[in-house]
Amino acid sequence: SFVVEHCRICHDALCLLMVALMNRDSPLGSIELNCCYVDDEAVKFITYFFTDNPKMTPRKISLACNDISDVGYFFLSEVIGNDECKLEEISLIGNDCGLTGIRSIVSAAAGREIPMKKLDFPADFMADTPDQLQEFVEFFSLFPAFVPNCTQFYCGNFEVSRDALHALGNMLAKRSSPIRALHFNVSSIESDGIVTFLRTFLENHIATPNSIRIGGYSIRRVSVGDLHVVLGPLLQSCLCSLESLTLSDIGQISDNEMIHITSSLDGNTTLKRLDLYDRIPSACVVDRLTSLLCDETTIMSTYNSNHTLNDLGRHMTDPKLCSYLELNKKTPDKGLVATAKVIKVHFAHNFQLGNFDSMKSPVLAQVVSFVNQGFHVWNEAFNVERDLESEGGEEKEVANNNLTVNFLMVRNIPAFFDYVKPR
């Protein structure tokens, strides 16, 4: 391999490098010239050697974060499209290139008899007119496998139509696997355009991206319509892989819609971030969200609450709600999260030893084991107050709550150890 990074390479140095490569008995495994101020002229020079000597092409070329434009992409496409070349991977991220350049290398890669293993190019697309957005969708509908895994659109001062979003969804439906992220920075979207876009995932029975964000700093109008009607089934679908959904800065979601959307999260185990609000939510929305994260009705309803959601945007500031969000976020083991919530709601307040006293031996053993498993998670997560107790002249930190005392009493019942069998 030949690797140079963060260093300006002049054309004379490139000439010496290419001559040295051509004199080798076998090609290099990779050439990486990242952040080296490589421009279109340098790319033309590099591809000239590989076009004349395709068998000396390395398996990997990385030209990330340079000064390559559409012209340089065109030169590279001649190497990519040559089936005699051994090239398997190419990285061009961080270069200033438009759809014209990307079209040339994608078309070349798609025409190869032996498919490339990896083709990375800039995933940020600028669309100043509706025609440019349509051009992107139409082109990648022909080559959906080459849609970047993390795609971000910057749409200029025009209204994105429902038809364009529907076509974009249908384009993604042609992929064999979902992309990881799709972000839209827009100034305006036609009425119900978001609903139309999300519905395409249901209509085509395809997995969603891990992250969807639609918003913008200067957003004028985005109508969500009956967002809960489509978002509910989408979040309940077995094909839902959404981990983050952000429709920020839209300001048109009513409390009733938010409550309906929250209800659809009862059985969802994938979504971690949901940001739909650009204002402080009302008390009824906060109560519903709190109930979603910790349903206090029964022990089983608490245990079966949502233990995945951990971010509701910057406007969710209610202390109780935030404590559950933080617990979901910092505890990977969702079984421990559920146990900690059960202890907080059903064991920590007005808890009496009589509840233990009436249990039969096997049940008591299981309950005490359950409490022991989640006690430390609960104790840390909900900031149990602690006092300093003097013991033998030394101060000892003890938890200031009834559960600790009751639990230790049960653990110290001599008869308890008679029927707890060691593993």
Side-chain angles (χ1 to χ4, degrees):
S1 298
F2 181 84
V3 180
V4 178
E5 294 184 341
H6 304 285
C7 176
R8 184 182 292 274
I9 296 183
C10 65
H11 290 185
D12 289 342
L14 278 176
C15 180
L16 292 174
L17 170 63
M18 301 311 298
V19 170
L21 292 179
M22 295 306 113
N23 289 330
R24 287 175 54 89
D25 295 330
S26 60
L28 284 173
S30 67
I31 295 179
E32 300 182 37
L33 305 175
N34 302 320
C35 303
C36 292
Y37 300 92
V38 176
D39 57 14
D40 295 335
E41 195 64 28
V43 171
K44 179 181 179 181
F45 188 73
I46 294 171
T47 55
Y48 169 78
F49 280 91
F50 291 141
T51 302
D52 285 352
N53 302 275
K55 293 184 178 180
M56 297 303 294
T57 307
R59 296 190 180 277
K60 176 182 178 180
I61 295 178
S62 179
L63 299 172
C65 301
N66 285 297
D67 300 322
I68 307 172
S69 69
D70 290 347
V71 176
Y73 275 52
F74 176 76
F75 293 136
L76 287 168
S77 67
E78 295 182 353
V79 178
I80 295 173
N82 191 335
D83 283 320
E84 294 185 40
C85 292
K86 305 297 182 182
L87 189 62
E88 296 177 351
E89 300 181 19
I90 186 167
S91 176
L92 299 167
I93 58 175
N95 287 285
D96 186 15
C97 176
L99 184 57
T100 302
I102 291 173
R103 186 198 300 270
S104 63
I105 63 169
V106 167
S107 300
R112 287 169 58 102
E113 292 183 4
I114 302 176
M116 294 189 65
K117 294 181 179 179
K118 188 175 182 180
L119 177 60
D120 284 340
F121 49 84
D124 295 348
F125 297 100
M126 302 292 295
D128 295 322
T129 65
D131 290 341
Q132 289 181 348
L133 180 60
Q134 183 179 354
E135 184 182 5
F136 171 89
V137 173
E138 290 178 351
F139 174 71
F140 277 103
S141 293
L142 301 175
F143 307 105
F146 291 95
V147 177
N149 260 325
C150 297
T151 300
Q152 182 155 269
F153 290 97
Y154 292 90
C155 296
N157 194 27
F158 67 90
E159 185 177 70
V160 179
S161 67
R162 286 193 305 266
D163 291 341
L165 288 169
H166 188 261
L168 178 63
N170 288 331
M171 177 198 72
L172 296 176
K174 296 179 180 180
R175 286 176 54 92
S176 57
S177 60
I179 64 174
R180 289 195 301 271
L182 180 64
H183 296 173
F184 251 102
N185 290 279
V186 299
S187 59
S188 181
I189 290 181
E190 190 176 352
S191 177
D192 295 336
I194 294 176
V195 176
T196 301
F197 172 68
L198 293 176
R199 186 174 285 121
T200 58
F201 294 100
L202 288 173
E203 293 173 347
N204 293 287
H205 303 287
I206 57 172
T208 62
N210 295 134
S211 173
I212 295 177
R213 183 190 184 280
I214 301 177
Y217 295 108
S218 59
I219 200 161
R220 294 196 310 272
R221 180 172 66 85
V222 173
S223 176
V224 296
D226 295 325
L227 181 63
H228 64 278
V229 174
V230 63
L231 195 54
L234 188 66
L235 292 171
Q236 294 288 334
S237 170
C238 61
L239 293 174
C240 179
S241 54
L242 259 180
E243 295 182 3
S244 175
L245 177 62
T246 303
L247 305 179
S248 60
D249 310 312
I250 57 180
Q252 296 186 30
I253 296 181
S254 66
D255 288 345
N256 285 335
E257 281 186 313
M258 189 62 184
I259 290 173
H260 280 297
I261 292 170
T262 301
S263 300
S264 66
L265 286 168
D266 283 330
N268 180 276
T269 58
T270 63
L271 196 66
K272 297 178 182 179
R273 174 180 172 80
L274 178 65
D275 189 353
L276 306 180
Y277 259 42
D278 66 346
R279 57 185 172 87
I280 297 175
S282 64
C284 63
V285 172
V286 171
D287 289 343
R288 181 63 187 92
L289 288 167
T290 304
S291 177
L292 167 74
L293 299 180
C294 187
D295 186 344
E296 300 183 2
T297 309
T298 65
I299 289 180
M300 286 310 300
S301 63
T302 303
Y303 193 79
N304 291 324
S305 299
N306 186 296
H307 309 306
T308 307
L309 191 64
N310 59 53
D311 189 347
L312 288 167
R314 64 188 183 278
H315 294 291
M316 297 296 177
T317 58
D318 179 76
K320 185 177 181 180
L321 177 59
C322 289
S323 69
Y324 289 130
L325 291 171
E326 183 65 19
L327 176 61
N328 285 0
K329 184 176 184 177
K330 71 179 184 180
T331 311
D333 188 336
K334 299 309 172 186
L336 287 179
V337 176
T339 304
K341 291 178 182 177
V342 169
I343 292 173
K344 172 180 171 56
V345 175
H346 301 282
F347 285 74
H349 304 290
N350 300 320
F351 184 69
Q352 302 298 324
L353 279 174
N355 295 324
F356 277 147
D357 211 20
S358 61
M359 296 180 184
K360 295 182 180 180
S361 299
V363 176
L364 178 58
Q366 292 178 14
V367 170
V368 172
S369 175
F370 176 84
V371 173
N372 186 41
Q373 179 187 29
F375 174 73
H376 297 294
V377 177
W378 168 80
N379 201 25
E380 179 182 351
F382 296 106
N383 299 316
V384 176
E385 295 181 4
R386 308 186 73 83
D387 294 331
L388 291 176
E389 182 182 273
S390 179
E391 181 179 339
E394 296 182 1
E395 288 188 332
K396 177 182 177 184
E397 193 180 45
V398 293
N400 181 22
N401 63 83
N402 293 331
L403 175 62
T404 306
V405 178
N406 291 334
F407 178 67
L408 291 175
M409 289 178 65
V410 173
R411 286 290 303 211
N412 285 285
I413 297 175
F416 174 75
F417 297 97
D418 294 339
Y419 53 76
V420 175
K421 297 179 180 180
R423 293 182 179 178

